[in-house]
Each structure stands twice: as structure tokens, then as C-alpha cells.
Amino acid sequence: MKQYACLKDIQQSDLAPPLAALIEQILTVELSIAHSSRLEADDGAVFLLEHCDTDKTVINQFGAMFHRIPFESIEHISNAEAYLCRLLRDNQCVITLIIPDKKWLPDSWRKKITEELS
């Protein structure tokens, strides 16, 4: 799972342009709210799920298996071919998980996503 904490992180990644633009948009808003050029853990986080991520990766990052994460909202961003999942830790901390809509996405994860789509 890749974490993006500043705009430079996006520039150093090899992302498809629509996905990079989505991450940049989300990160720009979060940085603006935090009044910072780098997103600190107390302010939130932006993560990109990768094909190599497993339940163990998710548990290590979020403290729960994927199907037990209480997302506040899930939406499909068609031009980036990705799902945007938001988890609210408190009023100041928004965790955003971007999940590419790819064939490698486990069926159980896809089921949770489609059931909770906003």
C-alpha cells in the first residue's frame, strides 16, 4: 500500500495520469485543510491499494480486515477507474483509500465495495 503525504510523492510515482490527478486532487484538499505542505497522521492520510496488498497489509495499516473497515463513504471515480473510500477517525482526520477497479481486486473486497457504494 502506497501512502501519499505530499505532492512530491505523486511526482515520484509512476501512475496513470487519471489516477495521479485523482490523488493530487484529494491530497491538495487535505493539505489545504491541514494548512501544510505535508499531511501528518493526525490530519489524515491518502493511500493507494496495490495489487500485492493482502488482508495482512490492510490489518497492519487499519487494524481490521478489509470487510470490517467502517468506511464513511465509497464512490466509484470512473475516469480514474478507481474506488474512493473514506474513513473518518475524527472531525479532523480523514483517511482516504484509493482502490483501483482492476481484476486483481479480491472478490470479497469487491463485494464490500459494491454493497457500500454511495
Side-chain angles (χ1 to χ4, degrees), residues 64-81:
M65 293 182 67
F66 186 82
H67 71 280
R68 294 193 183 262
I69 298 174
F71 292 115
E72 182 70 21
S73 68
I74 299 177
E75 61 183 295
H76 188 260
I77 309 299
S78 56
N79 68 331
E81 296 182 30

Side-chain angles (χ1 to χ4, degrees), residues 21-89:
L22 175 62
I23 295 170
E24 181 177 353
Q25 176 187 9
I26 294 163
L27 194 54
T28 299
V29 170
E30 294 296 324
L31 291 169
S32 173
I33 292 169
H35 303 289
S36 179
S37 61
R38 182 166 190 79
L39 198 57
E40 300 298 330
D42 289 345
D43 296 320
V46 178
F47 293 98
L48 175 64
L49 193 77
E50 299 175 296
H51 72 281
C52 58
D53 290 321
T54 64
D55 275 321
K56 184 176 180 179
T57 310
V58 172
I59 290 170
N60 288 341
Q61 189 61 54
F62 298 103
M65 293 182 67
F66 186 82
H67 71 280
R68 294 193 183 262
I69 298 174
F71 292 115
E72 182 70 21
S73 68
I74 299 177
E75 61 183 295
H76 188 260
I77 309 299
S78 56
N79 68 331
E81 296 182 30
Y83 296 100
L84 186 63
C85 306
R86 289 201 170 96
L87 173 64
L88 301 178
R89 294 285 189 201

